Amino acid sequence: MAVAVVALALLVPAAASAHAYLIKTVPEASVILSRPPSSVQLTYDEAVEPRFAIISVTDVDAHQETTGPVTRSPSDPDTLVVPIKHIGQGWYLVYWRAISVDGHPVQGAFTFAVGPDAGPAPQFTVPHIAGTATSTPLVVAKWLAFLTVMTAIGLFVLRVVIARPLVRRVSGTSLSRLTLAFAVVAALGLIAIPAYLEEAVSIDSLRSFWSVTAVVPLWRLTAFGRGYVDVELCFALFVLAAAVAIWTDRPEREGRSVAALLALSGAFGGAAAVLVLPGAVGHAGQTAPRGVAILLDWLHLVSGSLWIGGLIGLLVVWATLPAARRVAGFAVCVPRFSNVAFVSVLILLGTGVGASVLHLPVLNALWLTTYGKVILIKAGILLAAMLLASVNLLKNKPGLSRPEVSEASARLLRTLVSIEAVLVAGAILAAAVLSSVAPPPPAFAEEGSAIARVGPGKVASTVTRGGYKLQVLVDPNRAAAPDSFGLRLTRGGKPVSGADVTLTFAMLDMQMPTQEYQLAETAPGVYTRKAPALVMVGHWGLSYTITPKHGLPFTVLVVDRAGG
Amino acid sequence: MLHRGSLIVLVTITAAALLAGCGSGSGSTATTGPTIFPGRVFGLSSFKPTGPVRAGRPTMVSFKIRTPSGKPLTAYRKCCAPHVGVFLLVIRSDDSHLTFDALMPAAKGEVRQPVVFPTPGRYRVTVDAWPKVTNPNTPFNFQLFKWVTVQGHYHPQPLPPPRSTVVVDGYHFTIEGHPRLKAIEPSFLVIHATDPDGRKAVFGTWRGALAHAIFYRQGNLAYSHTHVCKPGAIYCFSALGNIHVTGHSTAPGVLKVGVLLPEAGTWRLFLLTYLRDRVVTVPFTLHVSR
């Protein structure tokens, strides 16, 4: 059944490839209208949910002009509409915030005016709502969900496969404490998944975590929310199947009954389904080739689960066995776990490298982007854990079979396993951060050709190209604000008039459509345009294509960092 | 029985999960919206006169333009006539009287100009500013408005009906054809001018242009201002948003006046030309449809 749920989830077309993007506004940004509009309409490149959206329309004195809730346009599902009062002459600020299908919030602002004498455009302080996918409570909640689910799956495998011979080989032992540990962690997982979803949706909908009755109905409104509801459902089915598998298992017998084997295969199917869903609704599901990306992500989670669950299982075995039988217990479990862990670590390494190759457009994105830096941190933690694992594999595991050092080896092994478990839990925390940060888009590969790096803050930087001197002007260079963009073009100290100047914006931190604007000459050699183009904080590629009146066209790329 | 260590782990993880959840809100069920602050605007400061004035006497009109930062605007365009400094226009509320001055503010940004308000009533002062573009955020051009009341009994005058020919000081100004003017759409009025002797009028350059076409709408006194320049003039255009219009004169006695009006209604056009060393103001009444 869990497999069927996952199959259904995967049959649904992939979510939009990136964040929701505002592609049209009515009224247009910066327009001066002769008559007041009756509503403000925003069209996105995907159907964003109106119940998560905010559209604020305020006058220069910050009075709210909206008269009703945000609704979806009956004629266009991608368009949100908010009704407004009969407004008078003057300038108005429109601030909007929406939640993408992938669960990430996006926001922006623009102005428009009602004439005929609207006066000069005011300088508005553009509001900003800080709640993001990387807020600390959300990352902690995600980490707890990942940690408990992966540990539960790994503990189950240890209980029903790796540690099973313990009962037969070491007299007076049982697996009941491992079963109890599995039950506790599984119960925590069943709480942690909806807690994470509640936290994510409450942040997106700007409500309190405790507004359960208001937030829960919103869970399934985005692909992200539906995905995690499915994770909870699959995990519950896995726990159920695992409980039956443990109940029917007779570890004192070497063979397994047909009922036990059926229950076991159902539990494994459920576990496999649980671990495929986060990738399907996360970055892997939005990365081409999608099938390969999801497979790599799934294998990564499976191997990670076996590792963390196995480590914690070994600690449970050590803690719950009588002191006299601990060494004997480890002598049974550790060699079997080591074989599984060795293969798991190899798969973890291979799939991690493979996923990085898929997600990073160029190698230097590893140290230049947040996404890349988190990968490096995660890899560093895992390498430290692998170092400890190799000591256990090469030194302590053989020591368990030598009576003269078995006690010391077992004690050292227990200590190192504890540290290793903490490190792997840390790596899972890094994974929680990683899955909350957007991977760099293909446009990032072009960053190497940038002639200058500017920002954050107001920009007035001068660069030269082909005998031309270009002063790049960006003010105030803030995301979600109607920024002004200018280019002062001179050659031989004289302004270059009559050129055709086009400015293209490409978001370098995540996949987003590009925008293109024509700049108007407002003074000799000065080309300007006001545009709400920097819709997010981060790195933007500002590409100026200049066609002088008498000369060959050329393009310069400037990387700008827009602040919040 | 649950082991003590397991209990600690259970309590710790549950507490962490709840604490993580606590981070997102205060407990209220309402949506938390953004905080919006008032915008900072250009405005007129130290404007005088502050109270009613007397008709028929020179009254000193003075002011500074306050920038959004709160400081006075001191940098004005000087390079590109007719788009320079400050235009000071005073229109009577019934559209019957206009004065127009082109001024360059003093070093500290103050503008001072004596103005004669001829008759009692309400006058709207238009400050049409051309600041020096020092950064991309500087507006290219903007207008600010103020009302001045002139003491005495106000007798509004009805607007004359539209006529294609207007005679001022012996000069005949005739609009060619019957142009249909529409709001927002740029269009042109071709105006033929002859002097008192019936010869084609010869226009001189005054305040950077061969003619200033100043439009005020009846009722709300919405304002527009276009220029007629010699062929090849660069800074002669007028703009409404992203729409531009430029008037020009290619033959003696003919003005092609750009019209770019923000709304429909009845408009008064004051065509200011420079003929034989003096300014001639020619008023027309125009109908503008949607």
Side-chain angles (χ1 to χ4, degrees):
Chain A
M1 193 169 169
V3 175
V5 170
V6 172
L8 269 176
L10 290 177
L11 279 174
V12 174
S17 61
H19 286 32
Y21 194 74
L22 185 66
I23 54 175
K24 186 183 163 196
T25 68
V26 178
E28 282 176 43
S30 305
V31 75
I32 300 173
L33 302 169
S34 57
R35 278 181 291 173
S38 59
S39 66
V40 168
Q41 300 179 26
L42 308 180
T43 304
Y44 297 85
D45 63 341
E46 62 183 41
V48 297
E49 174 53 46
R51 277 173 282 185
F52 285 146
I54 290 176
I55 302 177
S56 154
V57 183
T58 47
D59 66 9
V60 75
D61 294 321
H63 296 132
Q64 191 59 246
E65 305 290 355
T66 56
T67 55
V70 179
T71 56
R72 195 186 297 285
S73 164
S75 58
D76 179 7
D78 294 350
T79 298
L80 299 181
V81 183
V82 68
I84 58 173
K85 296 172 191 166
H86 184 80
I87 53 178
Q89 287 191 140
W91 283 88
Y92 295 87
L93 172 71
V94 179
Y95 166 80
W96 60 267
R97 181 181 186 270
I99 303 301
S100 307
V101 170
D102 65 2
H104 286 94
V106 286
Q107 56 188 326
F110 65 92
T111 58
F112 72 90
V114 175
D117 293 322
Q123 290 180 8
F124 286 108
T125 302
V126 177
H128 180 78
I129 294 175
T132 69
T134 51
S135 68
T136 305
L138 190 59
V139 169
V140 170
K142 192 174 200 175
W143 171 63
L144 289 173
F146 277 14
L147 183 67
T148 51
V149 168
M150 291 172 72
T151 304
I153 290 171
L155 268 172
F156 172 71
V157 174
L158 190 90
R159 159 64 183 78
V160 298
V161 179
I162 297 167
R164 191 169 181 270
L166 184 69
V167 177
R168 291 196 312 279
R169 295 186 195 171
V170 183
S171 62
T173 58
S174 86
L175 299 174
S176 59
R177 294 304 171 92
L178 266 180
T179 303
L180 180 63
F182 164 74
V184 169
V185 178
L188 287 171
L190 287 170
I191 296 168
I193 297 166
Y196 163 60
L197 187 54
E198 172 75 3
E199 174 68 6
V201 177
S202 65
I203 287 176
D204 289 347
S205 61
L206 301 175
R207 290 180 168 87
S208 159
F209 176 85
W210 303 107
S211 312
V212 178
T213 52
V215 175
V216 169
L218 307 177
W219 281 9
R220 291 189 67 85
L221 292 181
T222 62
F224 160 81
R226 285 190 292 276
Y228 273 88
V229 169
D230 291 344
V231 170
E232 174 74 353
L233 182 61
C234 286
F235 187 65
L237 291 171
F238 155 72
V239 172
L240 190 66
V244 174
I246 291 171
W247 182 57
T248 54
D249 186 31
R250 298 286 176 267
E252 60 279 5
R253 297 180 200 160
E254 190 166 359
R256 296 175 195 266
S257 66
V258 174
L261 284 171
L262 282 174
L264 200 59
S265 55
F268 284 154
V274 170
L275 296 178
V276 82
L277 280 169
V281 297
H283 296 149
Q286 298 167 3
T287 305
R290 189 170 178 241
V292 174
I294 292 176
L295 179 66
L296 289 174
D297 195 83
W298 178 72
L299 286 171
H300 202 68
L301 286 176
V302 168
S303 49
S305 300
L306 294 178
W307 196 5
I308 182 71
L311 291 170
I312 291 174
L314 288 182
L315 293 175
V316 171
V317 168
W318 178 270
T320 56
L321 282 181
R325 294 189 177 91
R326 280 174 178 166
V327 176
F330 258 28
V332 172
C333 297
V334 170
R336 289 169 65 83
F337 173 70
S338 292
N339 296 335
V340 174
F342 181 70
V343 176
S344 295
V345 168
L346 287 182
I347 293 173
L348 203 66
L349 268 178
T351 53
V353 171
S356 300
V357 169
L358 284 183
H359 290 307
L360 298 176
V362 281
L363 185 63
N364 64 3
L366 255 183
W367 53 87
L368 290 180
T369 65
T370 307
Y371 191 84
K373 287 170 187 168
V374 178
I375 287 180
L376 288 178
I377 292 169
K378 185 185 162 200
I381 296 171
L382 283 177
L383 281 174
M386 284 175 195
L387 192 68
L388 295 180
S390 61
V391 173
N392 285 336
L393 187 70
L394 300 173
K395 186 170 180 292
N396 294 328
K397 184 186 144 192
L400 288 174
S401 55
R402 289 159 52 200
E404 69 276 13
V405 292
S406 61
E407 178 72 25
S409 294
R411 289 194 174 280
L412 179 60
L413 195 136
R414 191 202 72 92
T415 306
L416 294 184
V417 163
S418 302
I419 299 170
E420 199 179 324
V422 170
L423 287 173
V424 178
I428 294 173
L429 176 60
V433 176
L434 194 62
S435 59
S436 306
V437 177
F444 184 85
E446 296 166 15
E447 199 175 330
S449 62
I451 198 165
R453 289 172 188 277
V454 296
K458 195 171 164 179
V459 175
S461 296
T462 302
V463 296
T464 54
R465 170 65 63 87
Y468 291 93
K469 189 178 269 187
L470 300 90
Q471 189 182 26
V472 175
L473 306 161
V474 186
D475 187 13
N477 196 18
R478 261 205 341 260
D483 291 289
S484 292
F485 301 92
L487 184 74
R488 193 184 298 274
L489 188 62
T490 55
R491 183 167 192 160
K494 293 179 180 170
V496 178
S497 284
D500 186 74
V501 180
T502 307
L503 176 54
T504 307
F505 295 85
M507 209 317 153
L508 301 180
D509 296 337
M510 65 184 65
Q511 184 78 42
M512 230 180 221
T514 58
Q515 308 163 70
E516 193 173 289
Y517 294 93
Q518 189 85 25
L519 271 57
E521 188 174 7
T522 52
V526 178
Y527 302 83
T528 61
R529 172 83 192 225
K530 191 171 260 193
L534 307 176
V535 295
M536 294 198 73
V537 171
H539 294 86
W540 288 85
L542 272 54
S543 184
Y544 293 85
T545 302
I546 298 143
T547 309
K549 208 171 181 179
H550 308 290
L552 293 172
F554 61 98
T555 300
V556 293
L557 176 68
V558 173
V559 173
D560 173 39
R561 191 172 161 208
Chain B
M1 193 181 147
L2 205 61
H3 190 272
R4 197 161 59 96
S6 304
L7 194 65
I8 291 169
V9 170
L10 179 65
V11 169
T12 306
I13 292 181
T14 308
L18 291 176
L19 282 173
C22 283
S24 70
S26 60
S28 161
T29 57
T31 301
T32 320
T35 306
I36 311 280
F37 297 98
R40 291 177 295 167
V41 294
F42 283 92
L44 292 173
S45 63
S46 311
F47 184 87
K48 287 178 183 168
T50 52
V53 301
R54 298 179 72 173
R57 293 183 181 183
T59 301
M60 184 60 73
V61 174
S62 64
F63 57 86
K64 289 179 183 176
I65 294 177
R66 186 188 63 248
T67 63
S69 68
K71 295 177 181 170
L73 181 65
T74 54
Y76 287 84
R77 286 167 74 102
K78 294 177 179 173
C79 65
C80 321
H83 297 170
V84 291
V86 165
F87 294 164
L88 178 66
L89 304 103
V90 178
I91 183 85
R92 197 168 186 255
S93 60
D94 58 1
D95 256 348
S96 64
H97 173 82
L98 173 80
T99 64
F100 167 48
D101 292 288
L103 309 164
M104 186 54 68
K108 291 185 178 178
E110 190 182 30
V111 175
R112 289 173 63 83
Q113 176 66 20
V115 174
V116 176
F117 296 88
T119 52
R122 292 187 81 214
Y123 289 76
R124 196 181 197 206
V125 176
T126 304
V127 176
D128 194 353
W130 299 92
K132 186 178 179 183
V133 178
T134 51
N135 66 60
N137 234 13
T138 310
F140 180 67
N141 167 232
F142 62 88
Q143 295 82 38
L144 299 165
F145 302 93
K146 205 83 179 174
W147 285 97
V148 172
T149 302
V150 179
Q151 291 171 341
H153 206 69
Y154 172 54
H155 298 288
Q157 296 176 20
L159 218 55
R163 283 194 296 260
S164 59
T165 299
V166 173
V167 180
V168 179
D169 297 343
Y171 289 92
H172 284 64
F173 290 81
T174 303
I175 297 174
E176 184 181 291
H178 300 282
R180 291 189 173 185
L181 303 175
K182 285 189 171 183
I184 312 294
E185 287 185 14
S187 54
F188 293 94
L189 295 173
V190 178
I191 297 176
H192 296 267
T194 55
D195 66 15
D197 302 325
R199 290 173 299 194
K200 290 178 178 174
V202 179
F203 303 105
T205 299
W206 178 68
R207 292 176 181 169
L210 296 176
H212 289 257
I214 297 167
F215 302 84
Y216 275 100
R217 187 179 179 275
Q218 186 186 31
N220 65 2
L221 296 181
Y223 164 77
S224 178
H225 189 155
T226 67
H227 303 109
V228 179
C229 297
K230 287 179 180 173
I234 299 173
Y235 300 104
C236 198
F237 67 89
S238 297
L240 181 64
N242 291 325
I243 309 168
H244 289 204
V245 68
T246 308
H248 56 270
S249 173
T250 52
V254 181
L255 297 171
K256 197 171 179 184
V257 177
V259 181
L260 183 52
L261 302 173
E263 63 177 321
T266 302
W267 287 75
R268 194 73 163 149
L269 160 62
F270 297 92
L271 186 68
L272 278 68
T273 58
Y274 196 60
L275 296 162
R276 291 184 186 167
D277 299 333
R278 65 193 182 91
V279 177
V280 176
T281 301
V282 187
F284 287 96
T285 301
L286 306 170
H287 281 317
V288 177
S289 60
R290 282 182 180 167

